[in-house]
């Protein structure tokens, strides 16, 4: 939680290396974010599934992906706001 808002961050490191600075994965929200799942493969590609409160305080299920050595994609909504 930063500046009164919630946001989802990640940090990674190569084997034997140093941790990277945290990177924001999801949009800032006035409500808590819920991580529903996280997956990674042997190459280091990753995906995160999370829920957040969007417009009019409706819950949205979203996902973001990260290729090894790359940056996180913009979150993609997987559901309509409920």
């Amino acid at each position: 939680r930063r500046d009164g808002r919630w946001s989802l961050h990640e940090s990674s490191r190569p084997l034997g290396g140093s941790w990277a600075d945290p990177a924001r994965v999801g949009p800032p929200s006035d409500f808590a974010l819920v991580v529903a799942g996280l997956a990674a493969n042997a190459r280091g590609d990753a995906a995160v599934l999370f829920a957040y409160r969007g417009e009019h305080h409706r819950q949205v299920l979203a996902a973001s992906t990260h290729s090894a050595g790359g940056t996180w994609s913009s979150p993609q909504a997987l559901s309509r706001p409920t």
Side-chain angles (χ1 to χ4, degrees), residues 2-55:
R2 177 180 280 171
D3 299 326
R5 302 194 80 196
W6 296 88
S7 59
L8 179 62
H9 289 77
E10 68 81 32
S11 183
S12 59
R13 70 176 180 89
L15 184 61
S18 299
W19 285 99
D21 290 335
R24 190 171 72 204
V25 177
S29 174
D30 291 328
F31 300 92
L33 298 162
V34 177
V35 175
L38 174 65
N41 64 21
R43 287 189 314 245
D45 303 326
V48 64
L49 179 67
F50 57 95
Y52 67 95
R53 296 285 181 175
E55 187 176 344

Side-chain angles (χ1 to χ4, degrees), residues 42-76:
R43 287 189 314 245
D45 303 326
V48 64
L49 179 67
F50 57 95
Y52 67 95
R53 296 285 181 175
E55 187 176 344
H56 305 293
H57 306 291
R58 295 184 170 185
Q59 183 168 297
V60 176
L61 187 61
S64 185
T65 58
H66 177 280
S67 29
T71 58
W72 285 96
S73 67
S74 296
Q76 299 296 309

